[in-house]
């Protein structure tokens, strides 16, 4: 079994585009700011809404929160590589030149504190969406210069950062002990669902992309540590991410 199942599709035209899909439902894509942050956690969305200067209807029920002249936030779209890829596609079609996911992750290295940020350099592709954009032998990477800006802004805000690979896979209840042990031993820093999808879409569409992770739980071969009683530090990473993107696109 391989993905994609049907031959070599990478140079084949798609039947319809994001613009076509929105137009078919009686709408139009609004102009996007140059940089767009994507996030799905409720606490992050609330922080963005409180900070926003304007809210713009994006696609059907989705809203873009304008955080800066050149930076917007889209949240509340659910979790998973498919929906993340679709939201990123729509944002890029509307004019976004940079997409960045700011989200929680599972930590695979227990010596990284909950208050630190992980900046994935590339994603290990263990989902399906990315393979419909790029051949399986291509690595999906964050834009290095953008990651530099994110690291600098987070450090200026007093947040320690760690760079390294992330493992991207969406089957939450099939995170098995052998593979957790394998990736941890390989030095992989985190596990998320959506990173490979986002980075592949960005690469295919020719825009820059980055990822900022905040640890929500830890996975080891011996135990799962959910940290469900800990207050999320994800909202504290929003302003530095905005600042990094503002500087990057200006």
């Amino acid at each position: 079994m391989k993905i994609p199942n049907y031959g070599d599709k990478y140079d084949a035209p798609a039947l319809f585009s994001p613009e076509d899909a929105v137009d078919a439902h009686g709408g139009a894509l609004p102009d996007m700011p140059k940089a767009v942050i994507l996030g799905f956690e409720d606490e992050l969305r609330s922080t963005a809404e409180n900070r926003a200067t304007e809210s713009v209807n994006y696609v059907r029920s989705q809203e873009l929160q304008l955080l800066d002249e050149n930076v917007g936030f889209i949240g509340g779209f659910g979790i998973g590589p498919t929906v993340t890829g679709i939201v990123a596609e729509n944002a890029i079609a509307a004019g976004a030149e940079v997409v960045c996911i700011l989200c929680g992750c599972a930590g695979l290295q227990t010596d990284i504190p909950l208050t630190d940020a992980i900046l994935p350099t590339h994603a290990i592709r263990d989902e399906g969406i990315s393979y419909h954009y790029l051949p399986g032998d291509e690595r999906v990477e964050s834009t290095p210069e953008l990651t530099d800006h994110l690291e600098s802004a987070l450090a200026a805000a007093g947040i320690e950062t760690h760079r390294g690979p992330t493992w991207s896979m969406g089957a939450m209840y099939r995170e098995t002990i052998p593979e957790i042990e394998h990736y941890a031993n390989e030095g992989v820093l985190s596990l998320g669902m959506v990173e490979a999808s986002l980075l592949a879409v960005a690469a295919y569409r020719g825009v820059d992309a980055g990822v900022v992770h905040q640890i929500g739980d830890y996975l080891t071969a011996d135990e799962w540590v959910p940290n469900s009683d800990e207050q999320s530090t994800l909202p504290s990473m929003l302003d530095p991410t905005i600042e990094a993107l503002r500087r990057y696109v200006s």
Side-chain angles (χ1 to χ4, degrees):
M1 177 64 185
K2 61 184 180 65
I3 302 174
N5 191 53
Y6 177 82
D8 183 355
K9 67 180 292 179
Y10 301 108
D11 294 326
L15 179 62
F16 61 92
S17 68
E19 297 92 334
D20 295 332
V22 174
D23 182 64
H25 288 86
L29 286 166
D31 291 335
M32 284 286 110
K34 289 183 178 180
V36 174
I37 301 168
L38 308 182
F40 42 76
E41 283 88 352
D42 289 339
E43 62 269 28
L44 182 61
R45 183 184 182 187
S46 296
T47 301
E49 289 175 348
N50 291 334
R51 192 193 188 286
T53 59
E54 185 181 353
S55 180
V56 179
N57 183 257
Y58 168 53
V59 176
R60 293 186 281 279
S61 62
Q62 294 172 10
E63 296 288 324
L64 170 82
Q65 307 301 326
L66 191 62
L67 306 175
D68 179 88
E69 181 182 0
N70 287 319
V71 184
F73 176 86
I74 300 172
F77 51 82
I79 302 173
T82 302
V83 67
T84 299
I86 291 170
V87 171
E89 280 273 33
N90 290 340
I92 294 165
E97 300 172 6
V98 181
V99 288
C100 180
I101 186 82
L102 172 59
C103 64
C105 71
L108 299 182
Q109 307 298 331
T110 57
D111 58 341
I112 299 178
L114 292 170
T115 52
D116 290 3
I118 292 173
L119 301 176
T121 53
H122 64 279
I124 295 168
R125 300 166 64 183
D126 204 5
E127 38 63 73
I129 300 303
S130 70
Y131 293 92
H132 290 276
Y133 285 87
L134 300 175
D137 58 355
E138 291 193 25
R139 195 160 91 155
V140 291
E141 300 178 316
S142 299
T143 305
E145 295 83 359
L146 175 56
T147 304
D148 290 343
H149 279 71
L150 290 165
E151 182 177 35
S152 178
L154 288 160
I159 299 172
E160 295 287 333
T161 61
H162 307 264
R163 291 198 196 200
T166 189
W167 168 30
S168 211
M169 126 25 179
M172 185 172 69
Y173 295 122
R174 289 298 299 150
E175 297 164 359
T176 66
I177 292 170
E179 57 190 342
I180 291 168
E181 184 173 31
H182 167 76
Y183 287 122
N185 289 340
E186 289 288 313
V188 177
L189 301 185
S190 59
L191 165 63
M193 295 184 180
V194 305
E195 297 72 21
S197 171
L198 177 78
L199 297 177
V201 168
Y204 185 80
R205 297 301 182 188
V207 303
D208 294 341
V211 179
V212 180
H213 273 167
Q214 183 265 332
I215 297 172
D217 58 350
Y218 291 102
L219 304 178
T220 75
D222 298 317
E223 62 178 344
W224 170 47
V225 183
N227 300 314
S228 54
D229 295 331
E230 299 286 342
Q231 184 174 0
S232 172
T233 59
L234 194 61
S236 69
M237 298 179 185
L238 179 60
D239 278 351
T241 302
I242 296 168
E243 177 64 14
L245 293 171
R246 184 185 67 78
R247 288 178 176 270
Y248 184 74
V249 300
S250 64

